[in-house]
Amino acid sequence: MIELRGASRWYGQVIGINDVSCTIGKGITALLGQNGAGKSTLIKLVTGQLRPTTGEVTVEGELPFANPSVQSRLGYCPEGDTFYEDMSGRQFVTLMARMSGVAKHEVRDRVAQAIDLVGMNDRADTRLAGYSKGMRQRIKVAQAIVHDPDTLILDEPLNGLDPVGRRQMGDLLRAFADRGKTVLISSHILHEVEQMTRSILLLHRGRLLAQGDVREIRSLIDRHPHRISITMESPRTIGPKLLALPSVVSLKYDRANASQLELETTDPERFYSEFADIVLQDRANVQTLYSPDNNLEAVFKYLVKG
Amino acid sequence: MSAPNGPIADLSYRNYDGPKSVDGLRWWPIAKNGIRGAMRKKFFWVLVALAMLPYLFLIIQMIVLNAITSRGDDEVTRNLPTFIQMLAGAYGNTVWVMFVALLVGTGSIAADNRANALQVYLSKPITRRDYVIGKLMSVFVPVYAVSLLPMLIATSFAAFDQGVVSFFQDHPLLYFKLFVVAAVPALAHSSLICGLSAWNKTPWMVGVIYVAIYFFWNAVSMIASFAMRNQIGDEAAITLRFFSIDGAISGLGYRIIGSMPGQGFGAARDLFPAPLPLFALLAAFVILGVFLCYSRVRAVEVVSG
């Protein structure tokens, strides 16, 4: 478990993060924010590379700054390609394993397993200079998990991966989290992050803007009514009844698609209940119903861009 | 185990329950990696061979001198250089050792700066001190080995050639001295080159700067010593002559070995530079190098102002 209590970090006059308090528990948590939001600063505080200017950061109850005891239980995958180009992937992961304190007689097995987990068996003995962006990303993740850390911090781990690679990486991280580990992922690929977790931590200009389940957060954003898109037979018959509902703010028909309508509601839970009653009453044939802005991207947009 | 390019998630994952060492020689993996990296370079071995050449000549010299001595001409034999004098002469050819140090050391920290690798290293259970020691040792060990091994080989050849018992009676502490003297170039080069490397992102630039400082300083001290010799006297002038990186390395080495080749001071073959200034200079190199490393090695760039 990672805890920040009133943590601030300043670089001279520049704010890294400002008075951030939050708890990051086991499972996957997505760390979101625009460039300069403070994501990297938060990661460096958690990985013990920086000391907070004020406040406190703890990992599993211990202060991480320059604390080998914490760092031996923590895996970190940075955004940049931090490699010696003339080493092979296996040599790099081996070095990282030794630096992480893995016992000498265990290193070979651990390295083989980490490389296997990220699907790099066939290229592990090739020089890093010849690696593609996606392969570099995989080998970076391998070095982060080689010592089986309790806490895994990944900075943009999906960058450079193709769709299949992203899905595989998502599977790997979910499997890791399912073993009771804490996984913190910084990413800007929101729809991919959403496939992995609903738990988010949203930073904006150094401050914590939101934390928790993305749907709960969305439901709290009152100033942006939820959009709901419905595909059904004869929407113009049922449309007036929907518009009469107190929870519905507006309704429009799709000119291009005669069977589709889109409405806005301030209270989605109540609307869904009332909508079910109307559908049963009118024996309406509903084909699809979804909310296009009940997702991470919409939450991010509404919270950050207003 | 998954097949190549197979699904990443593997249910056969085995938790690591072995020890995680956070004590002891945490710098060793870094040092070992640097040493291995150096040994993988072909050019390293070329430079090692070149650094051994003076000692190869020393061995050839000994064989030739043996032939001369065996003729029994006492007049000629009396004027021949001793093994210690020849050893000092071979030791004085320090330039190849410097090139070995450059090859090993210029990229030691600069390459990490360039790749921003410190972020990863310092997130591991090692401290900044471990990292700096590891990097220093990754340069020190190869340079020390390249300095020491040829001296040991040449000395062992001389010992067997002259008779082991009589050789050790004549030079009881020589082997011990060799272990000490080899540390002098290794200390100076490793600390200074690592220090420069910590403040740069381009290894070749580190090399250019170090070579420039090395030769320029050497030339200045040499010119100054000759220019001021009449005013300050022979003893101070010879110390001044050795007051540079190259000078401190060779001067201290000559003091420890107990002989030095002529330095253009006529018959002043036994006129050594004063040890204290040279030792202070060597200590300053080490302190400066470590300080430069330690002040620069950070996981993040700190924005100020």
Side-chain angles (χ1 to χ4, degrees):
Chain A
M1 181 183 287
I2 300 165
E3 275 190 286
L4 285 85
R5 283 185 287 274
S8 299
R9 173 70 204 196
W10 296 71
Y11 306 103
Q13 300 288 311
V14 181
I15 303 172
I17 61 167
N18 190 5
D19 195 24
V20 172
S21 295
C22 61
T23 301
I24 302 165
K26 299 200 183 303
I28 300 177
T29 301
L31 177 61
L32 309 174
Q34 294 173 314
N35 288 343
K39 302 191 297 289
S40 295
T41 301
L42 189 143
I43 283 176
K44 287 185 174 76
L45 288 169
V46 172
T47 53
Q49 297 175 61
L50 279 179
R51 197 202 304 260
T53 310
T54 59
E56 192 176 70
V57 178
T58 58
V59 177
E60 303 296 339
E62 287 188 70
L63 300 175
F65 181 74
N67 183 347
S69 161
V70 171
Q71 287 164 334
S72 68
R73 287 177 279 135
L74 193 139
Y76 173 47
C77 172
E79 184 180 5
D81 290 339
T82 51
F83 296 138
Y84 288 111
E85 299 290 319
D86 57 346
M87 291 172 87
S88 71
R90 192 180 304 279
Q91 286 167 339
F92 177 68
V93 179
T94 301
L95 172 65
M96 294 295 115
R98 291 294 294 136
M99 284 172 69
S100 298
V102 175
K104 202 171 179 179
H105 63 278
E106 291 267 11
V107 166
R108 188 186 293 253
D109 285 351
R110 291 301 311 171
V111 169
Q113 190 180 24
I115 285 171
D116 184 44
L117 280 170
V118 298
M120 283 291 289
N121 272 333
D122 54 337
R123 299 297 298 272
D125 296 307
T126 308
R127 283 178 71 224
L128 291 163
Y131 277 18
S132 68
K133 176 80 179 164
M135 290 157 76
R136 286 165 179 263
Q137 204 65 269
R138 288 167 187 249
I139 216 74
K140 274 195 300 184
V141 173
Q143 67 79 26
I145 62 173
V146 69
H147 55 299
D148 192 24
D150 298 327
T151 305
L152 185 59
I153 316 282
L154 303 108
D155 201 351
E156 301 286 357
L158 304 175
N159 274 5
L161 293 177
D162 57 26
V164 176
R166 287 180 187 174
R167 184 182 58 76
Q168 291 173 339
M169 189 65 74
D171 290 345
L172 167 67
L173 298 178
R174 269 194 298 273
F176 202 77
D178 288 346
R179 288 196 296 274
K181 315 277 189 179
T182 302
V183 181
L184 180 65
I185 302 170
S186 157
S187 179
H188 65 272
I189 305 172
L190 299 181
H191 61 281
E192 296 287 354
V193 169
E194 200 167 16
Q195 303 297 311
M196 283 188 245
T197 183
R198 282 164 54 179
S199 173
I200 66 162
L201 199 68
L202 180 54
L203 292 175
H204 186 55
R205 293 180 183 168
R207 300 193 79 107
L208 182 61
L209 207 56
Q211 186 196 5
D213 186 291
V214 66
R215 291 182 192 171
E216 285 174 22
I217 294 169
R218 175 65 188 94
S219 69
L220 295 172
I221 306 173
D222 295 332
R223 65 179 180 278
H224 292 283
H226 293 243
R227 286 190 295 141
I228 295 173
S229 185
I230 304 167
T231 309
M232 60 191 301
E233 281 178 17
S234 58
R236 286 178 186 274
T237 314
I238 209 168
K241 291 182 181 174
L242 295 178
L243 193 56
L245 295 173
S247 60
V248 175
V249 178
S250 70
L251 183 146
K252 66 179 179 186
Y253 299 108
D254 189 340
R255 286 184 182 173
N257 185 354
S259 61
Q260 190 161 338
L261 67 83
E262 188 173 292
L263 56 83
E264 289 184 320
T265 173
T266 52
D267 188 347
E269 296 303 316
R270 185 173 169 191
F271 168 76
Y272 289 133
S273 166
E274 292 168 340
F275 178 67
D277 291 341
I278 293 172
V279 167
L280 286 173
Q281 201 176 357
D282 287 26
R283 295 177 183 277
N285 183 7
V286 177
Q287 287 147 8
T288 65
L289 184 149
Y290 73 97
S291 175
D293 66 352
N294 192 22
N295 57 29
L296 187 54
E297 196 148 356
V299 168
F300 188 80
K301 192 173 80 180
Y302 293 154
L303 283 175
V304 173
K305 296 177 181 168
Chain B
M1 304 285 266
S2 64
N5 292 325
I8 289 177
D10 182 350
L11 296 177
S12 68
Y13 185 87
R14 181 176 61 86
N15 286 326
Y16 176 65
D17 51 7
K20 285 181 189 168
S21 165
V22 292
D23 301 316
L25 301 177
R26 290 181 302 210
W27 50 266
W28 177 239
I30 297 171
K32 195 168 76 173
N33 182 60
I35 295 164
R36 278 185 176 169
M39 290 171 71
R40 276 198 292 267
K41 293 174 185 163
K42 284 178 189 161
F43 198 54
F44 172 79
W45 295 106
V46 173
L47 288 175
V48 168
L50 289 169
M52 293 183 85
L53 275 182
Y55 298 93
L56 181 67
F57 289 135
L58 167 60
I59 291 171
I60 294 168
Q61 234 177 328
M62 280 191 288
I63 294 167
V64 171
L65 291 180
N66 274 349
I68 295 169
T69 314
S70 63
R71 289 181 189 167
D73 186 338
D74 288 348
E75 188 62 31
V76 174
T77 305
R78 207 170 15 249
N79 291 321
L80 290 177
T82 64
F83 170 72
I84 294 297
Q85 286 168 339
M86 291 190 291
L87 184 68
Y91 170 80
N93 292 293
T94 57
V95 70
W96 295 116
V97 175
M98 181 197 68
F99 282 123
V100 170
L102 285 175
L103 184 76
V104 178
T106 51
S108 61
I109 302 178
D112 289 354
N113 286 339
R114 192 174 197 171
N116 211 10
L118 288 172
Q119 269 189 27
V120 174
Y121 295 162
L122 298 184
S123 72
K124 301 290 173 194
I126 60 163
T127 62
R128 204 151 53 125
R129 189 180 56 194
D130 297 326
Y131 176 82
V132 170
I133 293 172
K135 288 295 177 183
L136 286 169
M137 292 305 283
S138 72
V139 186
F140 178 88
V141 171
V143 177
Y144 184 71
V146 169
S147 302
L148 178 66
L149 288 177
M151 282 197 286
L152 285 179
I153 293 167
T155 304
S156 300
F157 182 86
F160 284 110
D161 186 51
Q162 294 174 20
V164 175
V165 176
S166 65
F167 185 83
F168 280 105
Q169 279 171 348
D170 293 344
H171 314 289
L173 292 174
L174 187 56
Y175 273 95
F176 172 74
K177 286 178 178 179
L178 295 184
F179 280 92
V180 176
V181 85
V184 176
L187 275 173
H189 291 312
S190 59
S191 48
L192 286 174
I193 291 174
C194 280
L196 283 176
S197 185
W199 281 80
N200 213 302
K201 289 186 174 179
T202 320
W204 67 262
M205 183 64 81
V206 175
V208 168
I209 293 169
Y210 190 69
V211 168
I213 294 171
Y214 185 89
F215 286 112
F216 180 73
W217 192 354
N218 197 28
V220 167
S221 65
M222 195 180 285
I223 292 165
S225 71
F226 277 106
M228 297 171 74
R229 185 180 165 193
N230 290 333
Q231 288 126 306
I232 60 177
D234 275 1
E235 282 188 23
I238 202 163
T239 301
L240 183 60
R241 156 70 190 89
F242 282 91
F243 203 77
S244 63
I245 302 172
D246 176 64
I249 291 169
S250 48
L252 279 172
Y254 296 150
R255 287 293 313 205
I256 297 165
I257 292 170
S259 178
M260 63 182 282
Q263 293 292 327
F265 288 85
R269 184 176 280 259
D270 294 328
L271 188 60
F272 288 100
L276 205 59
L278 299 190
F279 184 76
L281 193 58
L282 178 69
F285 291 154
V286 174
I287 292 166
L288 176 68
V290 171
F291 172 76
L292 286 173
C293 289
Y294 205 71
S295 61
R296 187 62 172 179
V297 170
R298 294 166 192 269
V300 288
E301 298 233 352
V302 175
V303 182
S304 60

